[in-house]
Amino acid sequence: MKKIQLTSLAFMMSSMMSINALAADAEYTLKLHHMLPPASNAHSNFLAPWAKKVEEESNGRIKIDIYPAMQLGGKPAQLFDQTRKGIVDISWTVAGYTPGRFPKMTSFELPFIPGSAKATSMALQEYAETEMQDELKDVHLLALHTHTPGSLHSRDKRVKSIEDLEGLKVRAPNKYMSEAFDAIGVNTVFLPVPEMPSALSKGVIDVAVLPYEVVLPMKIHELVGHHTEFKGKGLYSNTFAFTMNKKVYNSMPADLQKIIDNNSGVALAGHIGERFDTYEVFARKFAVERGNTFDYIEGAEHQRWEDAMAPVVDKWVEDMNDDGYEGQRLLDKTRALIKKYEDL
């Protein structure tokens, strides 16, 4: 009996030493912070697999602990600064949560700019690498990306034309889309995404402007009866920033920096965009299965919407020029890069 106990004790000690040895192998334990729950598309299809890939390629020398749903405190608008200041090592957030910080990036948020999330994300990343060094100088950039272009999700009324929005209250997704709806005479309402289900059910808003990727987890397809999609150029997209603390990155040896670099940049932006495009198709099916109606803005009607919202784009160019930027050149480059990656 004593021999069995000693053997068991030896096994336990050996196992503990192995566990400690594995833990000791991690030269860098990084905190990755973001705002969405673990079940979200971004967490399950992008952030968690990315972290696992980096860990595996570093042979465990890098360990990444993910903290979803703002578990480390603060608000989503503070995530970029948490990374910049070293409160966390890596964060993922909506770039537009910090208005005025990334003025050049806002060209990708204008109406009728985006293509697929994959192409637009790759375009945004290349654009950032050549145009946004000043705006991103305080962090180490992993990738910028966009979601799949958003659609209209209407509670009671089908939207087939600009005129169909008359008298409806629309929740705009960003500053420029609010201006765009104002340009066609539509009232917009500002409220956080988590408040939309309640706002729709109570009639505070009539139309939500979102990608299906957000519609599904918020169950908005169960609160609306109609969806309007744009064929051709997408109505809009929002931009996202995936960044790392600069001091932490610079403290790493060259071989570990290379692993981070191999999982960054245009290729990563394209991968993220592709994940969002794929999930968009999946999420849309739930609205189809519920029996909701679908209308499409295309052809001449699409051009009407684009022409009606064009003053917002023109104003963006003027405002950028007034602030010392080359507005038209940046807009032309945005469009050219999206076309470049759409054509690949």
Side-chain angles (χ1 to χ4, degrees), residues 103-104 127 131 134-135 315-330:
K104 295 177 189 174
Y127 177 95
E131 299 290 347
D134 54 339
E135 295 179 10
K315 184 177 183 299
W316 180 89
V317 171
E318 293 175 5
D319 290 345
M320 291 295 283
N321 290 341
D322 290 344
D323 290 339
Y325 301 103
E326 301 172 281
Q328 191 61 51
R329 183 186 69 81
L330 293 174

Side-chain angles (χ1 to χ4, degrees), residues 159-175:
V159 178
K160 301 179 182 180
S161 67
I162 292 175
E163 289 75 20
D164 290 335
L165 285 173
E166 184 177 350
L168 300 184
K169 299 181 290 293
V170 177
R171 188 267 181 183
N174 62 40
K175 172 181 181 290

Side-chain angles (χ1 to χ4, degrees), residues 247-294:
K247 289 182 180 178
V248 171
Y249 173 83
N250 289 337
S251 72
M252 289 181 164
D255 60 332
L256 292 186
Q257 286 184 346
K258 188 173 189 305
I259 290 167
I260 297 294
D261 295 344
N262 290 344
N263 290 280
S264 304
V266 172
L268 175 60
H271 171 73
I272 301 169
E274 188 173 40
R275 294 294 85 212
F276 275 70
D277 285 333
T278 299
Y279 193 83
E280 190 77 356
V281 175
F282 166 77
R284 183 182 184 275
K285 290 179 181 178
F286 288 80
V288 173
E289 291 171 358
R290 190 173 180 273
N292 292 357
T293 65
F294 293 82

